[in-house]
Amino acid sequence: MIEAVKFWNEPNNKSHWNFEIDEGWKTFSDMVKLAAIAAKAEKPDITRVLGGISPIDPGFIQHLKSLGTLENLNAVAVHGFPLDWNLWNINEWPAKIAEIRAVTDLPVWVTEVGVSTFGAEEVQEFGFRRTAELLTGLVDRVHWYSLYDLPQAWGATTRHREAEGSSYYRHFYMGLLHEDGTPKLALKHFSDYTPEFGICQWFHFEDHRLEEAVSWLRKLGVKRLRTGLSWADSLRPGADQWFDKMMKALDEFDLTITFCFTPEEKGIEAHHTSPPHHIEEYADFCARMMRRYA
């Protein structure tokens, strides 16, 4: 069942929101405020969460707070990858959480944290265990990213591949399972921390891994799963049938659902990171998904 909904993903990361078009995040703020009200109207007791921020920036939370963005939200979320992309040490996790708690009274969730096996599986094995030691009991929700490696043929969701250099390829090695479904070293430790530890697994449109993923989540004792419903995908032929299949397959888990990705034809720029021409259309999408699935 859906226990929480998130409005967008990494809004302070240009790979997910074009803040050069939306300078100062004014459009983003108005869009989230409208969507939160729409979701609340459909199911008043649903937990409403600000899309996880990356980088972890208390100044960004303060700015959104000043715009009134957080008024109808119940939690804020952060994402961190200190062994791959962030310029801080993995042992700084408690300090990073404290930075956000210092600027908001809302609970802080960690809805993406992970370690790639780009260099070695042993790095992920260490990173997972240390992350679990640091975050278990510190925050209400932790979602490890991710169950599966990203298939090489799909490409990573990023706007700055060239600027990332070799770091871009780390995107493809974040899973506890290889692309072919075989386990990595860290997988054997995961069930030591469930059900408190959840998984974040994005499913692509008509994703062939859905049934196998459900089987693995059961084996690992996962109860909390974060995934997404894509506004862009909702306009594809057969979208409702795919969404229905996915949500039925995942119904046994406590779901945190992220609403994100602007349809190209709806954006100021023809890109999934673009602010939409009409923020009401994003709110309408959120409300429709709530009526259908929550």
Side-chain angles (χ1 to χ4, degrees):
M1 66 172 189
I2 297 178
E3 67 164 1
V5 291
K6 291 184 69 181
F7 303 107
W8 220 256
N9 183 65
E10 300 187 359
N12 60 334
N13 181 333
K14 200 182 174 212
S15 289
H16 295 276
W17 184 261
N18 192 335
F19 45 79
E20 292 180 351
I21 295 176
D22 180 26
E23 189 174 353
W25 288 273
K26 181 65 168 61
T27 300
F28 175 78
S29 176
D30 290 343
M31 184 180 79
V32 170
K33 285 187 280 188
L34 201 62
I37 290 170
K40 185 177 181 180
E42 295 296 333
K43 189 172 183 181
D45 62 343
I46 199 79
T47 300
R48 300 172 299 278
V49 188
L50 177 68
I53 63 170
S54 180
I56 297 174
D57 178 7
F60 181 68
I61 296 296
Q62 285 181 304
H63 176 62
L64 292 187
K65 186 177 180 180
S66 73
L67 295 174
T69 319
L70 310 185
E71 289 175 3
N72 278 291
L73 301 182
N74 309 110
V76 299
V78 300
H79 297 169
F81 302 89
L83 293 182
D84 285 287
W85 295 301
N86 298 137
L87 301 178
W88 45 274
N89 188 285
I90 190 172
N91 295 305
E92 293 179 62
W93 261 116
K96 291 296 177 182
I97 300 300
E99 288 178 8
I100 302 302
R101 284 179 170 156
V103 296
T104 178
D105 293 329
L106 295 177
V108 181
W109 290 12
V110 179
T111 50
E112 280 187 34
V113 54
V115 179
S116 80
T117 55
F118 180 75
E121 288 191 25
E122 288 82 1
V123 176
Q124 185 188 65
E125 185 179 27
F126 159 77
F128 169 69
R129 297 180 75 176
R130 185 62 183 139
T131 299
E133 291 168 1
L134 291 165
L135 292 181
T136 299
L138 183 65
V139 292
D140 292 340
R141 294 288 185 278
V142 182
H143 291 272
W144 182 262
Y145 178 80
S146 60
L147 180 62
Y148 282 99
D149 277 351
L150 179 67
Q152 296 278 341
W154 288 359
T157 303
T158 174
R159 291 190 69 116
H160 37 257
R161 173 177 177 174
E162 293 79 9
E164 286 188 277
S166 63
S167 291
Y168 170 78
Y169 297 97
R170 293 175 180 267
H171 287 283
F172 296 92
Y173 296 93
M174 304 301 295
L176 296 168
L177 300 168
H178 294 281
E179 180 181 344
D180 64 3
T182 56
K184 299 182 185 179
L185 292 176
L187 183 81
K188 65 179 179 287
H189 304 292
F190 199 82
S191 58
D192 294 341
Y193 298 93
T194 56
E196 288 77 12
F197 247 61
I199 286 275
C200 172
Q201 178 62 56
W202 296 92
F203 292 102
H204 283 227
F205 188 74
E206 298 182 339
D207 199 318
H208 65 282
R209 306 168 300 178
L210 178 62
E211 288 80 8
E212 187 181 66
V214 170
S215 178
W216 269 112
L217 294 170
R218 289 172 180 157
K219 288 178 188 176
L220 294 171
V222 172
K223 299 298 183 186
R224 295 169 177 165
L225 175 68
R226 177 186 169 225
T227 192
L229 288 171
S230 164
W231 182 21
D233 282 348
S234 73
L235 301 185
R236 292 176 182 248
D240 283 348
Q241 291 89 336
W242 164 246
F243 286 173
D244 287 351
K245 178 180 178 179
M246 184 182 84
M247 295 300 287
K248 182 179 180 181
L250 302 178
D251 186 60
E252 67 191 79
F253 304 101
D254 292 333
L255 299 175
T256 294
I257 297 294
T258 302
F259 300 133
C260 59
F261 301 142
T262 306
E264 288 190 1
E265 61 269 41
K266 302 289 186 182
I268 295 171
E269 172 192 33
H271 198 277
H272 67 268
T273 67
S274 176
H277 283 291
H278 305 290
I279 60 175
E280 297 84 0
E281 293 184 327
Y282 173 72
D284 289 345
F285 165 70
C286 296
R288 185 167 74 84
M289 294 297 98
M290 294 290 294
R291 284 193 297 274
R292 196 172 183 95
Y293 302 117

